[in-house]
Amino acid sequence: MAKRSEKAKRLTLSEKIRLMYGEKAWTIHGVPRIGIPPVRVSDGPSGLRYMPNDVMEVGSDATTKDSIAYPCSALAACSFDLDLMEEYGRMLGLECKSAGVDVVLGPGINIKRNPLCGRNFEYYSEDPYLSGMLAASFTKGTQSVGVGACLKHFACNSQESYRMVNNSIVDERTLHEIYLRAFQIAIDECSPWAIMASYNKINGTYACESKSLLLDTLKNGWHYSGVVLSDWGAVNDPILCHENGLDVEMPCFVNRQGLLFLAADRRVIVGKEGKTGKEPKTVHRLSKKRINDITDRVLRLSERTHAPHKLPAFDLNDGKAHQLAVKIAESSMILTKNNGILPLESVKGLAVLGELAANPRLGGGGSSQVKGFAPKSFLQRCIEAVGEGNVHYSRGYDLATREFDSDDENAAELIVDAVDVATRCPNVILFLGTSPEQESEGFDRLSLRLPDNQVELYRRVVERNPNAIVVIATGGPVEVAFAETSAAEILSYFPGEGGGEALYNIITGATNPSGHLAETWPKRNYETPSFGFYPGDQAQSLYREGIYVGYRYYVSAEEEKAVRFPFGYGLSYTQFAFENLRVSSKKPANLEETPLKVKVSIKNNTKVGGAALVQVYVRPLEGNVFKAKRTLQAFKKVYVDGNRRVEVELELSRRAFEHYDTESGSFLVEGGKYAIEIGQTCMDKDIVLSGEVEIPGDKEFPSLRTELTVYYKPPKDGFWLYDDVYEKLLGYKVPFPDDPRARPYTLNSTIENIRNTWIGRILVRRAQEVTGIEDEKNPLYRSMLQTPIRNVVMNGISDKVAQAIVDCANGRLILALWHLMFRKG
Ligand code: BGC
């Protein structure tokens, strides 16, 4: 077989250029003439969302292919189980292979900056180390069967509001230490074959056209050898994107061939600065070097994904993949409270309440949504076990409604009926959660509250029957203080098609729960570190909280800040005792060569076997650089039989002690004393063992204590009052954004910005027709209005029409006509 470099030599410039943009919605071009097959990609991270006709549509109805609906990433992460994540990746990879899919568009590893982010269900964690390690294991799995993983969304895509135009303003240290670190870890550990650049800007530059992100950091800094794809419709200036590190624009509904060909052939036209007094006009040229690099990367991807593999046959009907979906869900669901009611001896006579018990949400809405192959609700599973007459279901609420109106007869009747059922049964299980209108891709949640009608139902049920087990089925944290009076509580998240069975196993004790939270559940939204400035406005989002994201804030804040459920929290039916912490050296000389070994014994003090999670935190005890009080740096989940003890060994490499040093532009270690802690969660009171080590440093670091005050002592009330300190951290003044509603409009103006112009009104009407969404209260309507005009091309409108729309909105009709008549594209 000809080598890749030889194949590349045989390509014409046109052929090379064709590799730089998608063929239809889900395919990267190949060059069949010389035996380079196209690469078929597909969403997504929670199951295969196959689009049979290579067309662009979202939602689970869009796919005609049955596929396994795995638990959403937010839940799978709570397994803290790297082997299981690898098994998951492998099984999903086999399913992809059987459908002819070469690259799966996942995992999503954006750091959960705020629980309101509408898409958090698709992301693993608020912790970069955990996210990176889970992503690496998932990727190892898919790639072991020849299916590429595609890490997404690179980077700082921390919100859904205005996600296609918003500028994430984040300081360099936080960027590298929090938002890029998970990607870096995953790439170090297993080199995913693709990565997706996000929609948003970072410090003023679109991610897809950011040289510092894609070339300097990813490709030159981390030596990444895979393909960088754009998120779907994320390309603003194609030539600039490709020159600055983007490899493939996805999808591509306008033919880029002419544009890129011209750019590739042309010399740089330098502006006449000084002569005209105007800004120099730079025409970006696509260098040969970049074109050849892109060719090489795409060819490598095609080679990797089409390499022959001896694979076991994949058959949905044999139940193996479905059983894996059950296993992931039951290893991940989190038992947060149990007054001893669980496990139940049987579900016989159980009152099963809430629409979600019968009609569960398998996953979140949007591009990760799949129908599932053999979904089974909890109610169905109970009926299967004990017969229809022995479980008593009542719907309790209408999931699509938020408010509770006591004059609404329907709502009142639903509650009365459920309370009646609860009163007649010894035990109750009550399902509460969010609907697709409250939580989905494309918009952020407005509140962490559960719908009033559900909370009202809870109150009334518990009044009549205190033996209430509550299941919270959401994509992320909600305020659950009201549920303190429950007998038991389980966080099921969106659990995939195996969710009903997994819950049944946990409730009845067939499975001992072992999920631990991969994110903090705060008490209230206003206690989160980015409260008051998240998600920002259309123009920008200020990352004022710096490195204090998630638990890093709660543990470091003055007096430690109480939360509802801390990071790492999760109960079991078993009592584990962690004992005898041993660290291989008190003064390790070279962590790069010899990582620190951390050993601990776990004793299971009950008869029941179960999986315990060892969480190793590193806590700096001195130093000049501000750091979070403690961070997770190693973890391992191990099964311990009843009344047994096991020894567990983990490793801490140099990475565990590093912080990002902006002066040298690299990760360095500050020397000094560190505590190595074993915790049952990240909070002080749950640290059960601790030892001390002294680590050699790379250099002396100055203290910035007097300048960056709040970052040395995170305030209890968050960061929203400290703009001046934030600007010092940032190193520049936060730019004053222009009012996006005012002229002149550009292709990056949103539909909302021009909605009051005549062309804007036509566009809104057209968008309503296409999406079928007319109700302004529907959050998807908000999401549609927040779409930039450049993205209308995703709906089959040409580039020049998009430009003409902008001209019309600017009142420049003649220019619009000129563009329509003479512009290419
Ligand atoms: C999402 C990506 C997804 C792509 C294709 C985009 O809107 O942000 O995560 O892979 O669509 O569905």
Side-chain angles (χ1 to χ4, degrees), residues 26 43 49 119 152-153 163 196 199 231 367 441:
W26 307 101
D43 281 312
R49 195 172 69 97
R119 207 175 176 184
K152 65 189 189 183
H153 310 87
R163 63 175 169 161
M196 184 189 289
Y199 286 121
D231 198 344
S367 59
E441 178 181 338

Side-chain angles (χ1 to χ4, degrees), residues 155-444:
C156 294
N157 185 174
S158 316
Q159 63 191 63
E160 291 300 278
S161 307
Y162 298 104
R163 63 175 169 161
M164 294 180 183
V165 291
N166 186 269
N167 182 17
S168 297
I169 300 192
V170 53
D171 68 275
E172 200 190 336
R173 175 170 167 200
T174 303
L175 176 67
H176 285 267
E177 209 168 299
I178 303 292
Y179 295 99
L180 303 187
R181 193 60 160 170
F183 291 93
Q184 188 181 5
I185 291 174
I187 288 169
D188 270 1
E189 296 282 326
C190 71
S191 201
W193 297 345
I195 184 167
M196 184 189 289
S198 58
Y199 286 121
N200 53 291
K201 292 180 198 156
I202 304 165
N203 295 323
T205 307
Y206 279 107
C208 286
E209 46 194 55
S210 170
K211 177 172 171 296
S212 86
L213 184 73
L214 303 182
L215 283 184
D216 301 345
T217 302
L218 176 68
K219 292 185 172 172
N220 300 332
W222 303 346
H223 310 292
Y224 179 63
S225 66
V227 169
V228 183
L229 307 177
S230 72
D231 198 344
W232 267 230
V235 165
N236 169 49
D237 175 338
I239 301 169
L240 187 59
C241 285
H242 289 302
E243 188 54 18
N244 284 349
L246 182 84
D247 298 317
V248 183
E249 174 180 0
M250 286 304 291
C252 200
F253 295 120
V254 282
N255 191 342
R256 292 286 191 224
Q257 191 70 13
L259 180 84
L260 298 177
F261 193 84
L262 270 181
D265 256 0
R266 202 158 35 157
R267 300 208 168 278
V268 179
I269 301 170
V270 189
K272 295 179 187 143
E273 198 174 16
K275 287 190 188 158
T276 58
K278 287 186 188 160
E279 284 278 294
K281 195 170 177 238
T282 312
V283 174
H284 308 289
R285 180 177 180 264
L286 258 178
S287 62
K288 244 195 189 152
K289 186 169 162 222
R290 272 301 292 139
I291 296 176
N292 288 338
D293 180 46
I294 295 172
T295 307
D296 186 51
R297 286 169 188 270
V298 176
L299 259 49
R300 185 184 298 123
L301 180 65
S302 178
E303 254 174 32
R304 281 169 159 172
T305 53
H306 292 94
H309 270 272
K310 266 209 168 135
L311 297 177
F314 178 83
D315 181 3
L316 278 173
N317 294 305
D318 68 15
K320 284 187 190 154
H322 173 82
Q323 274 317 315
L324 179 62
V326 177
K327 183 169 162 194
I328 299 167
E330 67 190 14
S331 309
S332 308
M333 287 182 182
I334 309 102
L335 176 69
T336 51
K337 183 176 182 194
N338 184 12
N339 70 358
I341 190 173
L342 289 178
L344 298 179
E345 261 169 31
S346 157
V347 295
K348 209 166 178 185
L350 184 66
V352 179
L353 309 182
E355 187 176 326
L356 286 161
N359 188 15
R361 277 190 81 184
L362 307 184
S367 59
S368 68
Q369 210 182 343
V370 289
K371 274 194 288 238
F373 174 67
K376 195 180 281 176
S377 69
F378 177 75
L379 179 65
Q380 272 173 301
R381 180 64 189 91
C382 290
I383 292 174
E384 200 177 83
V386 293
E388 192 150 9
N390 288 319
V391 272
H392 310 285
Y393 170 69
S394 175
R395 186 170 163 224
Y397 52 80
D398 170 10
L399 186 62
T401 328
R402 285 190 74 100
E403 290 82 26
F404 175 66
D405 176 359
S406 50
D407 293 335
D408 175 344
E409 275 180 25
N410 266 345
E413 236 171 71
L414 285 172
I415 291 190
V416 168
D417 184 67
V419 172
D420 183 46
V421 173
T423 316
R424 285 188 280 113
C425 298
N427 295 320
V428 174
I429 186 162
L430 170 57
F431 284 70
L432 307 174
T434 48
S435 70
E437 286 72 37
Q438 289 147 22
E439 205 178 359
S440 203
E441 178 181 338
F443 57 87
D444 293 317

Side-chain angles (χ1 to χ4, degrees), residues 543-708:
Y543 286 48
R544 287 180 171 103
E545 73 282 14
I547 62 165
Y548 295 103
V549 177
Y551 75 87
R552 283 172 165 68
Y553 170 63
Y554 303 107
V555 297
S556 312
E558 297 165 294
E559 297 161 34
E560 200 175 75
K561 197 162 168 148
V563 296
R564 179 78 186 125
F565 303 124
F567 176 88
Y569 179 66
L571 304 175
S572 143
Y573 297 148
T574 310
Q575 298 295 320
F576 296 111
F578 295 86
E579 295 165 352
N580 198 12
L581 171 67
R582 283 141 291 159
V583 180
S584 55
S585 163
K586 289 244 171 257
K587 254 188 166 185
N590 187 342
L591 286 171
E592 235 158 334
E593 276 177 15
T594 323
L596 208 57
K597 298 238 186 306
V598 178
K599 286 190 190 159
V600 67
S601 332
I602 313 175
K603 197 162 165 246
N604 182 346
N605 287 327
T606 59
K607 284 193 295 204
V608 190
L613 175 66
V614 186
Q615 303 173 40
V616 181
Y617 293 91
V618 170
R619 175 177 180 181
L621 297 174
E622 53 192 15
N624 284 336
V625 179
F626 70 81
K627 303 189 190 86
K629 186 181 199 174
R630 70 173 59 86
T631 53
L632 180 81
Q633 295 297 348
F635 61 89
K636 201 178 240 175
K637 199 156 186 197
V638 274
Y639 189 85
V640 192
D641 280 325
N643 293 321
R644 285 293 160 98
R645 176 193 292 273
V646 293
E647 293 293 317
V648 184
E649 184 176 294
L650 303 96
E651 269 188 9
L652 291 174
S653 66
R654 177 191 151 92
R655 197 197 268 155
F657 300 91
E658 287 175 342
H659 70 275
Y660 186 81
D661 173 53
T662 50
E663 200 185 274
S664 62
S666 60
F667 277 91
L668 294 181
V669 174
E670 181 170 32
K673 294 197 171 107
Y674 290 80
I676 308 298
E677 304 177 326
I678 306 295
Q680 282 174 331
T681 82
C682 64
M683 302 303 257
D684 279 352
K685 67 173 176 33
D686 298 322
I687 300 300
V688 289
L689 296 171
S690 177
E692 205 177 292
V693 291
E694 196 173 332
I695 304 290
D698 292 320
K699 65 170 192 182
E700 280 297 313
F701 296 89
S703 168
L704 301 173
R705 203 172 285 275
T706 48
E707 287 156 59
L708 300 179

Side-chain angles (χ1 to χ4, degrees), residues 739-740 742-746 749 806 810:
D739 182 352
R743 283 177 177 166
Y745 302 115
T746 68
S749 300
V806 175
N810 282 326

Side-chain angles (χ1 to χ4, degrees), residues 464-476:
R464 303 298 285 272
N465 190 336
N467 289 339
I469 302 153
V470 177
V471 176
I472 308 284
T474 56

Side-chain angles (χ1 to χ4, degrees), residues 475-549:
V478 282
E479 294 175 0
V480 283
F482 68 86
E484 264 168 8
T485 47
S486 63
E489 184 183 32
I490 295 174
L491 312 181
S492 78
Y493 282 80
F494 298 144
E497 66 178 73
E501 288 158 87
L503 254 174
Y504 177 87
N505 293 346
I506 289 177
I507 299 287
T508 55
T511 295
N512 191 350
S514 65
H516 288 257
L517 280 172
E519 64 184 319
T520 310
W521 279 47
K523 285 187 175 168
R524 306 262 173 223
N525 175 32
Y526 61 72
E527 295 185 334
T528 56
S530 45
F531 175 76
F533 48 91
Y534 178 91
D537 53 27
Q538 170 174 334
Q540 54 198 26
S541 183
L542 309 184
Y543 286 48
R544 287 180 171 103
E545 73 282 14
I547 62 165
Y548 295 103
V549 177

